Amino acid sequence: MKKIVLFASGSGTNAENIIVHFNKGSQSNVVAVFTNNPHAKVVERAKNHKVNALVFNKEELSQGFVLQQLKDIQPDLIVLAGFLLKFPEHIIKEFPNKIINIHPALLPNYGGKGMYGMNVHKTVLENKEKETGITIHYVNEHYDEGGIIFQQSVSIEDCTTPEQIAVKVHELEHKFFPKVIEELL
């Protein structure tokens, strides 16, 4: 059985979608959800699916506590699903090519510090893009610069608000993220 650890900071819809996908008798399953936000809805979502949730702070992330928890689990894949903190180099070095992230745009466009969630969708709309999409990529020491694993685009010519763009991007995330994880494992 392959082990997946999810990192999320917010509502956790992607995390829950991944948990549900892998709880259907797969050869892999989500063994833990890690979050830096004790009030994140992802904690409740994890518990509803009987997945352990670990809440930590920035200091515990940077000073080795989180790394030790990961070493104890020995995950086959670490998946960032709406995790908003910069991932520490010491964890990346310990798990090379085993950490992936999903980004709500077609990288290299609209990536980098501060480019997450609605910030991305607002900028895409302001720039009058005709399409956007998702990028699943490996995590390295720089925001959104790791090797690209998968991209999928969607037309947004009919969108007039960032919220409409977000709906289309979430549909792509929910459809493709679990499949790409499965292929990687």
Side-chain angles (χ1 to χ4, degrees):
M1 182 68 70
K2 303 249 179 160
K3 296 182 276 188
I4 303 164
V5 171
L6 301 175
F7 277 74
S9 296
S11 72
T13 59
N14 265 320
E16 184 171 44
N17 185 51
I18 293 164
I19 291 167
V20 169
H21 178 87
F22 286 100
N23 278 357
K24 293 178 188 169
S26 172
Q27 295 300 314
S28 309
N29 74 332
V30 177
V31 295
V33 172
F34 286 38
T35 184
N36 60 303
N37 179 357
H39 307 292
K41 184 130 172 86
V42 72
V43 174
E44 182 183 324
R45 290 181 195 271
K47 288 180 180 173
N48 287 343
H49 294 284
K50 296 176 178 51
V51 174
N52 291 332
L54 175 76
V55 178
F56 59 88
N57 60 38
K58 270 186 172 181
E59 197 172 88
E60 291 170 323
L61 179 64
S62 65
Q63 294 185 355
F65 171 76
V66 171
L67 174 59
Q68 188 56 56
Q69 300 304 307
L70 289 169
K71 282 181 173 180
D72 291 348
I73 294 171
Q74 282 300 306
D76 295 284
L77 195 64
I78 298 168
V79 177
L80 310 188
F83 185 66
L84 300 182
L85 297 180
K86 190 164 191 287
F87 218 66
E89 284 186 48
H90 67 276
I91 297 177
I92 296 167
K93 286 179 180 161
E94 191 71 33
F95 295 94
N97 297 316
K98 287 189 175 186
I99 307 170
I100 66 170
N101 182 41
I102 191 162
H103 186 75
L106 299 170
L107 293 174
N109 298 326
Y110 307 108
K113 187 175 172 119
M115 292 304 286
Y116 59 88
M118 271 312 161
N119 295 347
V120 173
H121 306 316
K122 285 177 187 170
T123 307
V124 165
L125 185 66
E126 288 166 4
N127 288 338
K128 298 178 175 36
E129 297 287 355
K130 293 188 183 327
E131 68 176 18
T132 190
I134 60 168
T135 303
I136 298 169
H137 64 92
Y138 288 105
V139 173
N140 68 12
E141 63 275 7
H142 304 289
Y143 283 113
D144 302 323
E145 290 183 14
I148 293 173
I149 300 164
F150 176 86
Q151 288 186 308
Q152 181 68 45
S153 62
V154 65
S155 171
I156 53 168
E157 292 185 80
D158 61 337
C159 294
T160 57
T161 68
E163 291 78 13
Q164 290 171 329
I165 294 171
V167 168
K168 288 189 170 198
V169 169
H170 276 108
E171 287 173 0
L172 291 178
E173 290 173 345
H174 288 195
K175 180 178 180 180
F176 291 104
F177 205 12
K179 292 176 184 177
V180 172
I181 292 167
E182 200 162 359
E183 287 174 17
L184 285 173
L185 290 169

